[in-house]
Amino acid sequence: MTMGSGRVYFLLISSIILTVLTAFLIYVSSEKKAQNSSLLIETHNVIDSAKELLANLRDAEAYQRGYLLTGNAGYLEPFHISMTDINESLKQLEGNSINSPKQQQIIIQQLYPLIESKKNELELSIVRFQHAGPNAGLDVVKSDLTLNTMNQIRKALSEFINVETATFISRERQLNNSMDITNIVSFTGLLFILFTIFFALFTLYSKDRQNRKLIEQLEENNQELMQMHDKQQELYNNLRKFMGIASHDLRSPLNAITTLTSLLKQESDSFTQEQMEYIQYILDSARQMSRLISDLLDIHRMDEEKAIIQNEEVDIHSLLKALFFSFEGWARQKHIELELESDFIEKNVITDKSIFTQIADNLISNAIKFSYPNTVVNVRLKENDGSFQLIVQDQGPGIKKSEMKHLYKRYQTLSNHPTGGEKSIGLGLSIVKDRIELIKGTIRCDSEYGVGTIFTATFPEENCVKQPSLPTFRRLKKVVS
């Protein structure tokens, strides 16, 4: 994840968290607002109930005095209605104040007794008027007790209303504060969300610019790579031309040298011993050079095109005898004994002749190259459950365990060096591994450092034995000293 995309992800996550937090705060503020609104309405209802109670008392008192002063019975009906309204207003006031213990205490301890006393005085004045005349009713109205009761009611209700008014103002302020907090939280959250979106868009825009620059850079790099590819293609074409030269122009003179030197060897009576050694040296050098060119051509051929397997009936025993003959001079020069043990005398196999020859040639030449003088290179052709194995064993220096993993790498030379000063560029075993795996076979190396090495090439079941096994086992031994 790049820094730009990481920043965008962080902003998006922050925006989501902030949105959720803002929504939660708005929800809490809304709940608080609703609660304060409810309390405000409740307080307003309490004030209205108190004012209504006081108004009903005044109405009852006014109807009472109208009746006492005029004797008109028409004032009695509204008087009784007002008395009933006083009871209802008092109950309503008590119900609206249920959430205020202090106000409930005032209602129960003060208002209920005072209002009950006032109602009794009003009723008493009416009764006195009806039984004893107008003066008796007015005496009740003018009494200090009556005046004092009404004043106490007014005072209690006034204090009650003042307390509720103060509560109303406080709750109204709390409601306004809740609304302000809700608005601030909403505005702040919206502002930050907008900022986050803007910054995310800016980051994406910057990232887009960077991507465009990277695309331009990639296009430039692609152009450079195309130019390099063209140069490599040109070099590859030159390499192919060189391989063609190596295949024809170098092999032809080497074959001529090999042929002429072999003819000179046949005239051994015409040369001194020293001259014969020089002739043998020329012949071995030409063969080594020819083998090196063959290895290079094989590697080039393996890289250039997919090999086609051409299985045919092959006399591998005779083929190995011919290879032994080609290595005769080299082995004699190093005082190395070559041995061939074969289960395939008078029996053929189905395999690719070219691939088998490449594998055998490289394994045997590798064994000779790394064998000490006065040692034995043993080559065995062995039947193996309907197929066969080629086993090449030498008595050379062996291979260190730490170097086994590099054994089949191209151009890989190990710590051991050829014992006769031969040149080695590290291609032979890589060719062996490539060829044996091409035909679905295996190659195994068993080596003990300081003792020698055994290479076992196991050919697949497709490379079957053509004729049934015969009991005629014979060991051929070629001694070169």
Side-chain angles (χ1 to χ4, degrees), residues 44-54 89 92-93 96:
H44 185 270
N45 291 335
V46 170
I47 294 172
D48 286 346
S49 298
K51 288 180 178 180
E52 185 179 359
L53 175 61
L54 183 60
S89 298
Q92 187 176 7
L93 178 63
N96 290 336

Side-chain angles (χ1 to χ4, degrees), residues 310-480:
Q310 296 179 338
N311 286 332
E312 58 182 308
E313 187 174 341
V314 181
D315 183 356
I316 55 175
H317 176 79
S318 298
L319 194 57
L320 274 184
K321 285 177 63 178
L323 281 176
F324 263 51
F325 180 76
S326 67
F327 289 121
E328 177 182 352
W330 186 15
R332 182 185 295 110
Q333 185 182 3
K334 295 185 69 172
H335 302 285
I336 294 172
E337 180 181 337
L338 299 180
E339 288 185 352
L340 173 60
E341 298 180 11
S342 175
D343 290 346
F344 290 90
I345 301 173
E346 300 180 5
K347 282 188 294 184
N348 296 341
V349 299
I350 303 299
T351 188
D352 187 301
K353 182 178 180 180
S354 175
I355 291 176
F356 176 82
T357 303
Q358 283 180 297
I359 294 171
D361 182 84
N362 280 286
L363 288 178
I364 296 171
S365 65
N366 189 74
I368 296 173
K369 187 183 300 181
F370 289 95
S371 289
Y372 294 118
N374 302 314
T375 58
V376 176
V377 172
N378 181 266
V379 181
R380 297 191 294 276
L381 282 173
K382 182 180 177 182
E383 286 196 51
N384 182 47
D385 296 330
S387 181
F388 65 96
Q389 291 178 327
L390 172 64
I391 305 169
V392 179
Q393 180 177 1
D394 65 56
Q395 296 175 351
I399 302 169
K400 295 179 180 178
K401 289 184 178 179
S402 60
E403 296 180 330
M404 291 293 286
K405 58 185 177 182
H406 304 298
L407 193 59
Y408 300 105
K409 292 181 180 179
R410 291 184 184 181
Y411 308 105
Q412 181 72 51
T413 56
L414 307 182
S415 58
N416 294 329
H417 300 288
T419 56
E422 298 94 338
K423 300 296 182 182
S424 177
I425 60 174
L427 285 176
L429 292 179
S430 66
I431 293 173
V432 170
K433 185 173 178 61
D434 181 87
R435 299 291 90 181
I436 194 68
E437 290 182 349
L438 176 64
I439 59 174
K440 304 297 187 295
T442 60
I443 181 70
R444 188 181 79 244
C445 177
D446 300 295
S447 184
E448 184 177 352
Y449 192 67
V451 176
T453 303
I454 303 174
F455 282 97
T456 302
T458 302
F459 289 74
E461 293 183 0
E462 289 82 357
N463 297 161
C464 60
V465 179
K466 179 63 176 177
Q467 298 177 6
S469 298
L470 298 174
T472 58
F473 170 81
R474 186 155 54 110
R475 174 181 178 187
L476 295 181
K477 181 174 182 182
K478 179 73 175 179
V479 180
V480 182

Side-chain angles (χ1 to χ4, degrees), residues 117-118 121 140-152:
S117 175
K118 181 63 178 176
E121 290 171 4
V140 175
V141 173
K142 295 177 181 179
S143 67
D144 294 336
L145 180 62
T146 301
L147 295 174
N148 187 42
T149 300
M150 191 61 187
N151 289 334
Q152 288 181 357

Side-chain angles (χ1 to χ4, degrees), residues 28-304:
V28 172
S29 299
S30 299
E31 288 293 315
K32 188 69 176 177
K33 177 181 175 182
Q35 183 180 2
N36 289 334
S37 298
S38 177
L39 292 174
L40 193 65
I41 293 171
E42 180 181 301
T43 305
H44 185 270
N45 291 335
V46 170
I47 294 172
D48 286 346
S49 298
K51 288 180 178 180
E52 185 179 359
L53 175 61
L54 183 60
N56 289 329
L57 283 170
R58 286 172 180 170
D59 289 344
E61 192 177 54
Y63 292 133
Q64 172 225 27
R65 290 179 183 181
Y67 176 70
L68 294 177
L69 291 173
T70 64
N72 185 355
Y75 287 103
L76 291 178
E77 184 178 356
F79 169 77
H80 291 299
I81 293 173
S82 296
M83 293 291 284
T84 303
D85 290 342
I86 289 171
N87 293 331
E88 292 178 358
S89 298
L90 185 60
K91 290 180 180 179
Q92 187 176 7
L93 178 63
E94 183 182 7
N96 290 336
S97 304
I98 194 167
N99 292 323
S100 177
K102 184 177 179 180
Q103 300 294 66
Q104 285 279 305
Q105 187 178 3
I106 292 174
I107 292 171
I108 294 172
Q109 294 180 1
Q110 296 183 35
L111 289 178
Y112 262 111
L114 289 173
I115 289 173
E116 190 64 29
S117 175
K118 181 63 178 176
K119 286 168 59 181
N120 291 334
E121 290 171 4
L122 292 172
E123 293 285 353
L124 179 62
S125 66
I126 297 296
V127 171
R128 290 277 184 91
F129 179 87
Q130 291 176 346
H131 290 85
N135 291 330
L138 291 173
D139 290 339
V140 175
V141 173
K142 295 177 181 179
S143 67
D144 294 336
L145 180 62
T146 301
L147 295 174
N148 187 42
T149 300
M150 191 61 187
N151 289 334
Q152 288 181 357
I153 291 173
R154 287 193 183 96
K155 182 179 178 181
L157 284 174
S158 178
E159 291 178 356
F160 191 92
I161 291 172
N162 289 337
V163 170
E164 288 299 322
T165 301
T167 303
F168 181 86
I169 293 171
S170 174
R171 288 176 176 175
E172 187 178 31
R173 188 181 299 113
Q174 291 178 1
L175 177 62
N176 292 331
N177 291 337
S178 298
M179 294 177 66
D180 291 341
I181 291 173
T182 302
N183 293 333
I184 290 171
V185 170
S186 301
F187 178 76
T188 303
L190 179 63
L191 187 64
F192 190 82
I193 291 170
L194 290 175
F195 172 77
T196 303
I197 293 173
F198 171 78
F199 193 76
L201 290 174
F202 176 77
T203 303
L204 289 173
Y205 172 74
S206 301
K207 187 65 178 175
D208 182 63
R209 289 185 61 188
Q210 292 178 2
N211 288 338
R212 283 200 294 267
K213 289 181 179 179
L214 287 174
I215 290 172
E216 292 175 359
Q217 186 65 41
L218 286 173
E219 289 177 351
E220 292 178 3
N221 293 341
N222 188 49
Q223 290 294 330
E224 293 178 1
L225 288 173
M226 291 296 293
Q227 292 175 2
M228 292 176 62
H229 172 73
D230 292 339
K231 290 181 180 179
Q232 288 181 346
Q233 187 65 37
E234 183 180 355
L235 291 173
Y236 179 72
N237 291 333
N238 292 335
L239 177 61
R240 292 183 64 184
K241 291 179 182 178
F242 171 76
M243 288 299 176
I245 294 172
S247 176
H248 298 92
D249 296 353
L250 291 180
R251 272 191 169 182
S252 296
L254 281 173
N255 289 336
I257 292 172
T258 302
T259 303
L260 292 174
T261 307
S262 299
L263 292 174
L264 288 175
K265 277 189 66 178
Q266 296 177 8
E267 302 293 332
S268 58
D269 295 338
S270 303
F271 301 100
T272 64
Q273 180 64 31
E274 184 178 2
Q275 289 173 334
M276 288 299 298
E277 291 177 358
Y278 288 150
I279 291 171
Q280 184 63 49
Y281 178 76
I282 294 171
L283 181 60
D284 292 340
S285 299
R287 285 175 175 171
Q288 288 182 22
M289 180 60 72
S290 179
R291 187 174 296 109
L292 177 60
I293 292 173
S294 296
D295 289 345
L296 289 171
L297 289 173
D298 288 340
I299 289 293
H300 177 68
R301 196 178 299 112
M302 286 187 289
D303 291 338
E304 188 177 34

